[in-house]
Amino acid sequence: MTTIPDRLKVSPFFSFYLVQAIQIGVGILGFQRVLTKAVGNDAWMSIILGGIGVHVVIWMMYQILNKQNGDITDVHRVLFGKWIGSGFSILLIIYFCLLTITILRSYIEVVQVWMFPGIRISLFSIVILIIVFYIVNGGLRTVTGMAVLGVVLPAYLLFSLFYPLKYAFFENLLPIFDHSMIDILKSTKDVSLSVLGFETLLFYYPFFKEPKKSQKWAHLGSASTIFIYLLVMVVSIAYFSEEQLIRNIWATLTMLKIVQLPFVERIEYVAISSWLFVILPNLCLAMWSASRGAKRVFNKKQRPLLVVLILLVCAGSCVLKTREQVEMISDFTAQIGFYLIFGYIPFLFLFSTIFHRMKGRKSA
Amino acid sequence: MKKGSNKKSEKKPEITTIREAFDSLRKSTDFVFYKKEHGKVPYVISYFSSIVDVEVIHQYILPNLLQISDLEELKSKIPIEEIIDVTSPKDLTEKLPSGYVYIYFTDSDHHGVLIPAMKNENRSISPPEVEFSVVGPKESFVESLDTNIYLIRKRLPIDSLRVEKITIGDLSNTGVAYLYIEDIADEENVNTLKQRLNEIDFDAIGDTAYISQIIADNQRSPFPQILDTERPDRVATALAEGKLAILVDRSPHALIGPTTFNESISTFEDYLLNWYAASFIRIVRIASIAFSILITPIYVATLTYHYELIPKDLLATLITSRRAIPLPPILEALFLELTIELLREAGARLPTKVGQTIGIVGGIVIGTASVEAGLTSNVLLIMVALAALASFTTPTYQFGNTIRLIRFPFLFFAHAWGLIGIVLCFSFLAGHLLQLTSLGRPYLEPFYPTRVRDLKDTIIRLPFSKLSRRPVHNHPEQKKRFSPKDEKVHRDIDE
């Protein structure tokens, strides 16, 4: 357990931004399709259920970390020993790299489809990753700053949800409980996929000035994310018909198309551009966590490790050429992420509870 | 830190005796040296005529010398403080060129005294020009350290105002004073500043601007990390908030640190106006800074890639104005932006009267001509001119230069990736500002790290009754400026 000097720590209050910034990403631009396919107009219920699941997982993570008072690599080392523990940590690092590639490529995908069909993926990835390096290089405090920007600056887009209301048909929400409870429960999986990324908490937990106090804010952050998802979902169900939603890959962006202002049209162009503010903290947090984990596992300096990881991500992003490949990698990451938050973390929670109880008994 | 004398010794043979020192000084033509034999004992008086105040010699030194026979008597008779006994040749070589008079009796083998008699020619205190304000004090700093300290001391006549002085520069021997209020300013800040100033190793300090650049936290940043001001009132109020100030001899500017982004875009006048007016002007200023950075890049981005963004009616106007223009938007914009920079630079380099002519010739003739020749569209001409105008609203000159500079990367990014390019560049800028510190304190405070209490004096300046605490940013030792009175009981109508 290394102690972190006070000047590098952030206030517990910022866990609100850190959690919310990474939960909202490319997913929200088009999560409606999968959900509608599974449960139709009952999708809002699975969002609520999924949200509750996410909160339970956050609670579990805090239970695990509070006992250890360190980050996840410490937890792994104590619970599983040096070798197996490091193995688990490395898997986590790989997962975060995959997550970065997924986020980056999905965003480029949106840009390609909506704005620049001929954009040079390699060059664009390199420029974005240089900025990511520059920000992560400033440490978690800078990354947190970007997270705050990523929440505050694009918040104006929430107002655009008023425009579709003019054409909304809220009867679309009826009849509720049209689908079986099992279907709804199953589709919560798809919800959790959209809000992936908050596992980074496992790494930045020791960077809070009073880590335990940050839990309240983390829950609030997550709750606000779920609320935003719920809002977008309800408006989408009311605005589109079920058939339209199933056929629309980026329903949220399509809704934006009807916004009309006297000085600017096609507001979705502005939205996609400013969505970069949302994407950047995601990338930065994931890369920061990956490089921080690598630093803890290999006991090397973080900066060169970060360079290596960013080069890997860059290579990964350039290798993926077609939309099918992007979809494949994003499904793959989502699967891992799902099993990570709903399989591995509950397991870790049980294991650490038992471990610490046994240890307590032994010492007594 | 190497001392200058060491460097000199590498080239020249060491001066060991006072006589040798004396001989080497005599090589300058403004060195005056004469023997007087009319007194009790014959003596020799010498000085640099260019830097010595002749009045002092005639009024205080020469009349007294007539009746004196030894050095002790001389020291007690002459009504000047700080008379130094010469003990080593170094005394001579250091003090004589800075305005001392050297006197010794011919029988004492060069052992004499040094009497300070510097010329003190300064311009008188004049109204501020760079940071002019309609209301408020009309005093600005001058080129004398003592006068500048006086200007601050008279605004803060308290015992805890500390003025500490050090000398920097092997060649210029510049006196640098740093000021703080002892029981308010944070000790850590003071120590940081002290350490940074002591570490300066530069031969000739020309101005405060040298110091501010040398002690900046990040010298690769285009942003000024220490505030530059010519107003003593601003320095005094900053000191009262717990900040530190630096004054440099022979420089009419003071430095204030630690500073913030917000402070760089506010003026002292913001505190002199009613808080509604002050807040309104601040908002206008912030908007104009954003406008001046972003408007040309947005023009380039939309006209290069996103015609769809422009509403139909506006598009017609734009297309008519751009129809005959052979250049792509980026070249058109660069051409106009560079013209404005040219005009500004030419105006700044030329004497005032000619400068005005240049403004008219450049602004009107070149502007109209380039539109008529079909090189630029008049829509862009309006935008660039407005952007230039907006950039002049930045209250600090150094910060204004930075604003003018950073729009160029925005232009190139806009040309490369349209709106996304602008956001990319903005993210880069944000990442940079987030990492920036001033004397070790975050530059973007109170926006990030968010400190709600300090937000009272940012985009909106609340009335003074609400500003009861000193900014947390300065880590003041005494947190409260005054204790706010308990909420007044709200009286009902007609009570």
Side-chain angles (χ1 to χ4, degrees), chain B residues 22-42:
Chain B
F22 205 68
D23 287 342
S24 86
L25 288 167
R26 280 174 67 180
K27 286 174 191 162
S28 296
T29 43
D30 59 344
F31 188 68
V32 181
F33 159 85
Y34 52 87
K35 213 175 195 178
K36 286 269 177 171
E37 293 189 352
H38 59 264
K40 272 187 182 174
V41 187

Side-chain angles (χ1 to χ4, degrees), chain A residues 134 141 144 265 269 273 280, chain B residues 308-309 311 419 427 432 435 448:
Chain A
Y134 185 66
R141 284 187 78 124
T144 314
E265 274 176 17
Y269 277 46
S273 306
L280 263 183
Chain B
E308 306 91 324
L309 278 176
L419 284 180
S427 313
H432 176 71
Q435 292 177 40
Y448 180 80

Side-chain angles (χ1 to χ4, degrees), chain A residues 24-223:
Chain A
I24 295 186
V26 195
I28 199 165
L29 298 179
F31 68 105
Q32 295 96 326
R33 185 173 65 121
V34 198
L35 274 182
T36 318
K37 245 185 206 166
V39 286
N41 60 0
D42 284 334
W44 59 275
M45 274 189 269
S46 30
I47 291 180
I48 293 176
L49 283 177
I52 292 170
V54 168
H55 276 281
V56 172
V57 173
I58 290 179
W59 178 81
M60 281 177 181
M61 289 201 289
Y62 269 97
Q63 291 306 310
I64 298 167
L65 293 164
N66 283 346
K67 281 194 195 95
Q68 193 57 50
N69 219 352
D71 63 16
I72 187 76
T73 54
D74 296 320
V75 174
H76 280 155
R77 203 167 298 148
V78 170
L79 294 188
F80 305 116
K82 196 182 165 198
W83 290 104
I84 304 174
S86 299
F88 277 121
S89 304
I90 290 171
L91 285 179
L92 259 183
I93 294 164
I94 296 171
Y95 163 71
F96 280 127
C97 288
L98 271 178
L99 192 68
T100 317
I101 296 177
T102 313
I103 297 167
L104 181 62
R105 275 310 268 117
S106 318
Y107 179 63
I108 296 180
E109 181 79 29
V110 176
V111 172
Q112 257 181 328
V113 172
W114 287 78
M115 289 175 81
F116 297 113
I119 198 166
R120 295 253 302 272
I121 298 173
S122 49
L123 191 63
F124 194 59
S125 313
I126 289 170
V127 172
I128 291 187
L129 286 171
I130 287 174
I131 295 179
V132 169
F133 172 78
Y134 185 66
I135 291 165
V136 176
N137 193 25
L140 185 74
R141 284 187 78 124
T142 314
V143 176
T144 314
M146 272 325 267
V148 175
L149 270 184
V151 171
V152 174
L153 279 183
Y156 74 93
L157 287 172
L158 279 178
F159 292 106
S160 65
L161 286 177
F162 285 110
Y163 287 85
L165 288 184
K166 219 193 305 183
Y167 311 99
F169 187 66
F170 280 100
E171 283 79 353
N172 279 355
L173 286 167
L174 299 172
I176 50 172
F177 288 113
D178 199 20
H179 300 76
S180 72
M181 209 57 208
I182 293 160
D183 281 344
I184 293 175
L185 274 176
K186 265 187 195 160
S187 68
T188 57
K189 181 181 170 188
D190 301 318
V191 179
S192 60
L193 301 182
S194 317
V195 295
L196 274 185
F198 61 96
E199 315 85 88
T200 42
L201 170 71
L202 295 170
F203 284 103
Y204 58 72
Y205 172 85
F207 279 79
F208 288 120
K209 273 178 190 135
E210 287 151 290
K212 280 175 192 164
K213 276 195 184 167
S214 68
Q215 184 168 3
K216 167 178 80 181
W217 294 106
H219 280 296
L220 261 176
S222 181

Side-chain angles (χ1 to χ4, degrees), chain B residues 174-191:
Chain B
T174 314
V176 175
Y178 53 95
L179 290 80
Y180 57 95
I181 299 179
E182 196 168 30
D183 34 3
I184 297 176
D186 179 36
E187 216 184 313
E188 204 185 313
N189 284 348
V190 176
N191 287 336

